[in-house]
Amino acid sequence: MNQSNNKDAAASIQDDLQTQVIDLQMNVAHLEITVERLDEVIARQDKDIQTLQRQLQLIYKQIENQDPESGIAPFDVMADKPPHY
């Protein structure tokens, strides 16, 4: 009878461990999917940032190359302070 109880206890422990392993595998699978999605978002944001940086550089070049008499003066942070400064 004692051996039967030991076998039942061992089987119960093994079932619990197997359930825990399955739960861990499912959690890892979900985390892998999340990491892949976040990686895609970061890659897209990096591409967007690079595009915006190129656009900003082009705008700066256009402003620098404009004639001051054309109506749009280049922005100067120090000279164009708001009156409350």
Side-chain angles (χ1 to χ4, degrees):
M1 185 117 165
N2 194 16
Q3 287 181 339
S4 176
N5 287 340
N6 287 342
K7 286 181 182 180
D8 290 342
S12 176
I13 291 172
Q14 187 174 3
D15 288 343
D16 288 342
L17 289 175
Q18 188 173 12
T19 301
Q20 290 177 359
V21 168
I22 291 170
D23 288 343
L24 287 172
Q25 288 173 336
M26 287 175 39
N27 286 337
V28 168
H30 288 294
L31 289 173
E32 287 175 346
I33 291 169
T34 301
V35 167
E36 288 174 10
R37 288 180 183 166
L38 289 172
D39 185 53
E40 291 171 4
V41 168
I42 290 171
R44 187 182 71 240
Q45 288 178 342
D46 183 55
K47 183 179 174 183
D48 291 345
I49 288 170
Q50 289 177 3
T51 300
L52 290 170
Q53 287 175 334
R54 284 193 302 271
Q55 290 174 348
L56 189 57
Q57 287 174 348
L58 290 172
I59 290 171
Y60 280 143
K61 287 180 184 178
Q62 287 177 351
I63 290 173
E64 288 175 357
N65 293 334
Q66 280 187 344
D67 182 22
E69 303 297 322
S70 68
I72 298 177
F75 180 72
D76 183 5
V77 176
M78 296 309 289
D80 295 333
K81 286 185 180 178
H84 60 278
Y85 280 109

